[in-house]
Amino acid sequence: MRNSSLALTLAVLLLSGAAGGAAPLPKGFVYLRDVDPSIAQDIRYAGAHNFLGRPADGYGAAECVLAQPAAAALKQAQDKLAAQNLLLIVWDCYRPARAVRDFVRWTENPDQQTKTEFFPHIDKTQLVPLGYIAARSKHSRGATVDVGLIPIGAPTGSTAKPVSCDRPKGERFDDGTLDFGSGYDCFDPIANLDNAEVGEPAADNRQRLSALMQSVGFKPYAMEWWHFELRDAPFASEFDFEILPR
């Protein structure tokens, strides 16, 4: 009986282990790493280097999760970059609706710890009215991405002290990208796609990125050079499942 009981216990443990780990994604969603592991990922809202200064609600893992057609389109974009010694880098993909609500709540509290880097010239209470933070985000539909371009082998994740995101490349946070004229998530007019104040190299890189993304089915967003939405997005409603490890 003892051996039978032990065998039963081991069987239960094995089955539990097989069923453990991350919950399955909703039908139609994939992990980008499973589609194209060569695309760089620096999922900012899963860590502390973002305008919140902490992980956002719903980001239980630093993983890019997307609707399958959006992930396939990013792979197409990366394939186009293969001969240019460049990689896509993604900063945000699917965003749980709870994170969107977290962002809005953050704009309503007086904390200013990340102002120097991310919103140096704008009152945080104005970030929703001005359109820098959405009360409802298309990221939550799984087909909107925040992306940039990095040279292959470029280091990312500098630990330099906070510097205004509108400072020139070499002074602001070094995210390893080509020069796009501002840092990622820079809540400032300089981040507008067609801002005339950025230098020619940055303006050219913005248009290069925009042309690439449009060629694989995404459309740009005028206020943010890094933000792209798949034109034929498969889902019209928002999701709120947590991002978990693969």
Side-chain angles (χ1 to χ4, degrees):
M1 288 294 291
R2 173 176 289 185
N3 289 340
S4 298
S5 177
L6 179 59
L8 179 60
T9 300
L10 289 173
V12 170
L13 289 173
L14 287 171
L15 288 171
S16 297
L25 296 175
K27 185 177 180 180
F29 282 83
V30 295
Y31 286 99
L32 180 62
R33 291 189 201 278
D34 292 333
V35 176
D36 192 334
S38 71
I39 297 173
Q41 297 190 32
D42 180 14
I43 307 302
R44 292 288 185 86
Y45 301 135
H49 186 220
N50 56 58
F51 63 87
L52 298 170
R54 57 169 174 77
D57 286 356
Y59 283 78
E63 290 288 349
C64 173
V65 171
L66 285 170
Q68 193 280 330
L74 286 189
K75 178 174 173 53
Q76 290 179 10
Q78 183 56 59
D79 289 345
K80 289 173 179 278
L81 292 171
Q84 302 176 46
N85 203 39
L86 291 172
L87 292 173
L88 282 172
I89 182 170
V90 294
W91 292 298
D92 195 34
C93 301
Y94 157 72
R95 181 183 303 166
R98 72 190 75 178
V100 179
R101 296 190 293 271
D102 192 12
F103 292 0
V104 174
R105 287 194 303 270
W106 170 84
T107 68
E108 298 166 349
N109 73 52
D111 176 37
Q112 299 288 321
Q113 66 169 317
T114 61
K115 181 174 179 61
T116 297
E117 182 172 4
F118 293 102
F119 52 109
H121 309 298
I122 296 177
D123 188 310
K124 69 184 292 188
T125 63
Q126 295 304 304
L127 293 175
V128 172
L130 291 174
Y132 290 102
I133 291 178
R136 295 183 67 179
S137 175
K138 290 184 178 179
H139 275 279
S140 300
R141 302 179 186 180
T144 295
V145 295
D146 294 343
V147 299
L149 297 174
I150 61 173
I152 291 177
T156 61
S158 165
T159 56
K161 65 180 181 180
V163 175
S164 177
C165 57
D166 66 343
R167 299 300 300 157
K169 186 173 176 64
E171 296 181 25
R172 65 179 182 265
F173 176 81
D174 183 7
D175 53 16
T177 65
L178 303 179
D179 185 8
F180 287 99
S182 82
Y184 168 62
D185 255 3
C186 190
F187 299 145
D188 191 90
I190 201 168
N192 295 171
L193 180 60
D194 295 323
N195 187 286
E197 295 182 13
V198 299
E200 185 175 346
D204 289 346
N205 286 331
R206 290 181 179 192
Q207 294 305 317
R208 179 183 194 177
L209 176 63
S210 181
L212 171 69
M213 295 297 285
Q214 290 185 72
S215 75
V216 297
F218 288 90
K219 59 184 178 182
Y221 176 48
M223 291 189 68
E224 299 173 344
W225 58 259
W226 56 80
H227 177 110
F228 296 90
E229 176 191 346
L230 192 67
R231 287 193 179 88
D232 296 323
F235 301 114
S237 58
E238 290 115 20
F239 291 79
D240 196 28
F241 61 90
E242 183 179 7
I243 300 170
L244 297 171
R246 289 166 62 237

